[in-house]
């Protein structure tokens, strides 16, 4: 009878195992909570605030593409979730129904042409100027800003502020319209500090507004033209040389995007302002785009701790940065760079980076949650797995003790 008693010591491990399964299952479900509803709320907010109606238009298909990217990025934490599969099916259905692949390929000109009145005494319509659609894009959801400058300091589209090492070649942007890659090299022999020495910009084909071209800038070589010697990359993209050899801007007018490349001292700086809906287009959970994902954790530098450990003349660095009216993150970056490199041109780079940001100092509240939801879900899942291992180990110890 004693062996059949469910509350006896011999049966305690079985009870503990059942409790373990319940606890761990609940923990895993909670930590990997499906966040597809956040994508749906953002989609609804964009369509309502901007009064965007469903239909085969560039504006609606751009919102729908951001919705699809967001939903796709939650796949890992939403497997088996009924609402996720329902939303995924609905978004795919709408994309096919409104032929969004073709609409987006054609660009902003996919908007239905307005009906023009007939000429007096004739049946012909007024003819609009050629390629007018390449200058009439209206962004959905505001703008986002990304910058990389100095030693180097990164501001992502999510307004994350980081100081990183990132030596070698790294992608900053990679979306259907433009790709940007930078190359960072040590600022001195044996130094862990790096700075930008090369920037490559690839304009992607987007008929009729853009044709594929490449722009390359290197230290002491900041051309005002693409590699083929032209200033235009289709009617919607143009290079403007603000200061020869020092400041160049690439304007993608058909998507209201501005890319700024400068040279300060021996090194380059980068900044980009683009519509939030475009900033993370096509971003996947494993993207390496620094503007979207930020620097990998192993490449990040705790500059506040390093500043505290520096014994150099901090007061002089602080005074030099204040003299340039630099504030906030850019002020900290300026002081850090002066103390670590002793190169005064880095203070000018921080000032220029702040000027390029302009009014984009507010938090970007309109960006999709694509990378963030995935990253947080992975962290929570990792913690839950550690808890599971701990509980299994505890169960084994208990089992051994009960069978001695």
């Amino acid at each position: 009878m004693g062996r059949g008693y469910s509350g006896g010591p011999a049966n305690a491990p079985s009870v503990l195992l059942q409790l373990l399964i319940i606890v761990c299952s609940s923990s895993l479900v909670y930590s990997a909570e499906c966040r597809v509803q956040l994508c749906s709320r953002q989609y609804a907010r964009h369509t309502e605030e901007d009064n965007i109606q469903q239909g085969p238009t560039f504006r609606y298909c751009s919102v729908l593409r951001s919705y699809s990217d967001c939903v796709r990025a939650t796949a890992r934490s939403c497997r088996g979730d009924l609402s996720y599969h329902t939303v995924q099916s609905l978004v795919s259905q709408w994309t096919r129904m409104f032929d969004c692949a073709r609409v987006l390929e054609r660009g902003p000109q996919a908007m239905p042409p307005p009906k023009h009145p007939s000429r007096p005494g004739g049946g012909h319509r007024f003819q609009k100027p050629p390629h007018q659609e390449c200058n009439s894009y209206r962004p959905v959801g505001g703008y986002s800003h990304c910058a990389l400058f100095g030693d180097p300091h990164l501001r992502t589209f999510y307004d994350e502020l980081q100081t990183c090492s990132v030596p070698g070649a790294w992608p900053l942007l990679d979306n259907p319209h433009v790709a940007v890659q930078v190359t960072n090299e040590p600022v001195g022999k044996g130094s862990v500090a790096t700075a930008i020495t090369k920037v490559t910009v690839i304009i992607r084909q987007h008929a009729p507004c853009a044709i594929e071209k490449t722009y390359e800038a290197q230290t002491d070589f900041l051309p005002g033209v693409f590699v083929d010697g032209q200033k235009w990359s289709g009617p919607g993209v143009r290079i403007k040389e603000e200061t020869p050899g020092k400041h160049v801007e690439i304007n993608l007018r058909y998507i209201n995007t501005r890319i700024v490349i400068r040279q300060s001292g021996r090194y380059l700086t980068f900044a980009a302002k683009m519509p939030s809906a475009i900033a993370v287009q096509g971003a996947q959970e494993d993207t390496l785009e620094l503007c979207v994902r930020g620097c990998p954790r192993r490449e990040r530098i705790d500059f506040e701790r390093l500043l505290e450990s520096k014994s150099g003349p901090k007061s002089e660095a602080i005074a030099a940065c204040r003299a340039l009216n630099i504030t906030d993150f850019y002020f900290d970056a300026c002081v850090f760079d002066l103390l670590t490199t002793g190169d005064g041109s880095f203070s000018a780079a921080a000032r220029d980076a702040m000027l390029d940001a302009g009014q984009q100092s507010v938090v970007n509240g309109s960006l999709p949650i694509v990378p963030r939801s995935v990253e947080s879900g992975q962290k929570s899942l990792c913690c839950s797995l550690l808890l599971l291992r701990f509980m299994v180990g505890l169960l084994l110890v208990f089992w051994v003790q009960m069978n001695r």
Side-chain angles (χ1 to χ4, degrees):
M1 294 291 293
R3 291 185 177 179
Y5 177 54
S6 61
N11 209 38
S14 176
V15 175
L16 181 60
L17 180 60
Q18 294 177 33
L19 290 174
L20 171 65
I21 293 173
I22 293 173
V23 170
C24 290
S25 297
S26 300
S27 176
L28 287 171
V29 169
Y30 174 77
S31 63
E33 179 182 2
C34 182
R35 304 183 67 179
V36 72
Q37 294 305 323
L38 294 177
C39 303
S40 299
R41 284 199 294 269
Q42 181 171 296
Y43 165 80
R45 178 167 59 83
H46 278 161
T47 54
E48 290 172 6
E49 290 181 357
D50 296 287
N51 193 28
I52 298 175
Q53 303 297 322
Q54 280 192 324
T57 65
F58 183 80
R59 295 185 72 206
Y60 176 71
C61 286
S62 294
V63 174
L64 192 60
R65 175 163 55 183
S66 294
Y67 191 16
S68 177
D69 288 343
C70 183
V71 170
R72 185 168 59 252
T74 65
R76 183 172 299 179
S77 62
C78 290
R79 287 197 181 101
D81 187 282
L82 181 59
S83 62
Y84 163 76
H85 292 289
T86 301
V87 170
Q88 183 187 44
S89 175
L90 193 59
V91 172
S92 298
Q93 180 181 340
W94 287 342
T95 301
R96 291 192 301 270
M97 180 187 303
F98 300 115
D99 197 16
C100 281
R102 182 168 174 270
V103 170
L104 292 171
E105 183 181 356
R106 290 174 57 197
Q109 77 278 10
M111 296 285 289
K115 293 182 179 180
H116 298 282
S118 300
R119 291 179 182 270
H124 300 288
R125 293 178 178 177
F126 289 114
Q127 297 296 317
K128 66 179 181 180
H131 306 305
Q132 180 180 342
E133 65 274 12
C134 297
N135 299 285
S136 58
Y137 176 73
R138 293 180 57 193
V140 178
Y143 290 89
S144 299
H145 178 79
C146 175
L148 189 70
F149 64 96
D151 182 18
H153 307 282
L154 173 69
R155 175 177 172 177
T156 72
F157 283 134
Y158 291 90
D159 288 316
E160 294 174 308
L161 309 173
Q162 301 170 355
T163 297
C164 315
S165 177
V166 288
W170 290 83
L172 285 177
L173 294 174
D174 190 2
N175 62 47
H177 303 279
V178 60
V180 180
Q181 178 177 286
V182 295
T183 301
N184 303 314
E185 295 182 2
V187 297
K189 188 175 181 180
S191 173
V192 295
T194 64
I196 304 175
T197 57
K198 182 177 181 180
V199 178
T200 302
V201 180
I202 298 175
I203 305 299
R204 295 209 160 107
Q205 176 83 18
H206 204 94
C209 300
I211 59 178
E212 184 160 319
K213 285 193 180 184
T214 300
Y215 174 82
E216 287 187 354
Q218 301 184 50
T219 297
D220 297 326
F221 181 67
L222 198 63
V225 294
F226 290 98
V227 294
D228 65 354
Q230 300 294 315
K231 286 185 174 289
W232 294 84
S233 175
V237 183
R238 184 187 181 188
I239 290 181
K240 186 178 181 182
E241 196 171 23
E242 297 288 347
T243 304
K246 295 294 181 182
H247 178 187
V248 166
E249 296 188 3
I250 303 176
N251 292 290
L252 289 78
R253 297 184 297 184
Y254 76 100
I255 53 171
N256 273 6
T257 292
R258 182 178 67 131
I259 294 173
V260 181
I261 303 170
R262 300 176 184 263
Q263 177 163 338
S264 182
R266 296 178 51 247
Y267 302 102
L268 306 177
T269 68
F270 165 87
K273 177 184 176 183
M274 61 177 52
S276 299
I278 292 177
V280 292
Q281 269 186 12
Q284 304 295 323
E285 60 186 74
D286 58 348
T287 183
L288 294 176
E289 299 168 63
L290 297 186
C291 284
V292 176
R293 206 55 179 166
C295 297
R297 292 190 178 278
R298 68 179 182 278
E299 299 290 341
R300 298 179 193 177
I301 298 172
D302 185 351
F303 75 90
E304 292 182 353
R305 180 179 58 81
L306 285 179
L307 282 178
E308 292 176 357
S309 65
K310 288 288 181 181
S311 57
K314 294 182 184 178
S315 59
E316 294 181 12
I318 290 173
C321 295
R322 283 180 176 166
L324 294 175
N325 295 320
I326 304 173
T327 59
D328 303 321
F329 170 68
Y330 303 97
F331 176 82
D332 295 336
C334 174
V335 173
F336 175 85
D337 289 349
L338 288 180
L339 290 177
T340 54
T341 68
D343 187 342
S345 67
F346 281 93
S347 59
R351 177 201 59 201
D352 292 340
M354 187 178 73
L355 293 176
D356 290 335
Q359 298 301 314
Q360 282 301 111
S361 57
V362 297
V363 174
N364 294 321
S366 58
L367 279 170
I369 59 164
V370 179
R372 299 297 154 252
S373 62
V374 172
E375 184 173 313
S376 60
Q378 289 175 337
K379 289 180 182 176
S380 300
L381 186 59
C382 180
C383 292
S384 298
L385 291 174
L386 288 175
L387 175 62
L388 177 61
R389 292 179 181 178
F390 173 76
M391 294 292 285
V392 169
L394 187 63
L395 174 61
L396 292 175
V397 171
F398 186 79
W399 177 268
V400 171
Q401 292 294 331
M402 292 296 296
N403 286 276
R404 279 187 175 179

